[in-house]
Amino acid sequence: MAIELYELRVGNAVYCLISRNRKVITSIVKGGQIDNNQYEPIPITKENLRDNLGFSIIDMGDFWQCEKEDFILIQVKLSFGTMPYMFVLKSSIKESVNFYHVHHLQNTYLDLKGELLLWQK
């Protein structure tokens, strides 16, 4: 799955395809070359959120709650398939934003918080 160029910003963490069998995680840097066939998205997992993005993970029974200060994601637990991580505003707004990939989460975090959500390690 290739990433569309318009989806990427400086600071996004992506898989850089070194060869067909090898992937490494890199960050898009200012002034760097972006080749659409060279990058693939990193999926969001509890491990990536905790180990690489600085979130704390809380088991809430029916769902996982992932927190980084006042930014909260939830993932409903189901016995079939993979559910997306959802950012939900604590207000009367009945909408949520679904995340499947790290770069989308990083871009939304930047828009809402005004700071980069950096990949650690």
Side-chain angles (χ1 to χ4, degrees):
M1 165 189 250
I3 301 172
E4 297 294 331
L5 293 179
Y6 67 84
E7 296 180 74
L8 296 177
R9 291 187 187 166
V10 171
N12 285 168
V14 293
Y15 285 122
C16 180
L17 303 177
I18 302 301
S19 70
R20 289 180 182 239
N21 299 324
R22 185 169 171 221
K23 295 179 182 180
V24 297
I25 295 173
T26 188
S27 287
I28 304 299
V29 295
K30 189 173 184 177
Q33 289 281 29
I34 298 176
D35 176 0
N36 195 32
N37 296 324
Q38 186 177 359
Y39 297 106
E40 286 187 1
I42 299 170
I44 296 179
T45 64
K46 287 186 289 301
E47 294 77 20
N48 283 343
L49 288 169
R50 182 190 62 226
D51 300 341
N52 304 108
L53 296 170
F55 281 78
S56 60
I57 310 297
I58 303 165
D59 186 341
M60 303 296 283
D62 292 337
F63 62 94
W64 297 101
Q65 184 164 304
C66 311
E67 301 178 357
K68 185 173 178 82
E69 299 170 9
D70 61 347
F71 193 94
I72 298 172
L73 298 172
I74 61 169
Q75 184 189 40
V76 176
K77 294 179 184 178
L78 291 177
S79 59
F80 58 91
T82 301
M83 294 295 291
Y85 288 83
M86 296 176 283
F87 173 74
V88 181
L89 295 170
K90 290 186 175 183
S91 69
S92 60
I93 297 173
K94 297 179 183 177
E95 298 296 321
S96 64
V97 177
N98 293 335
F99 296 104
Y100 295 93
H101 301 107
V102 168
H103 71 279
H104 182 204
L105 173 60
Q106 287 177 307
N107 291 339
T108 303
Y109 191 89
L110 178 61
D111 289 343
L112 294 175
K113 300 278 290 176
E115 59 188 58
L116 292 173
L117 179 59
L118 297 175
W119 185 267
Q120 304 161 10
K121 290 186 186 179

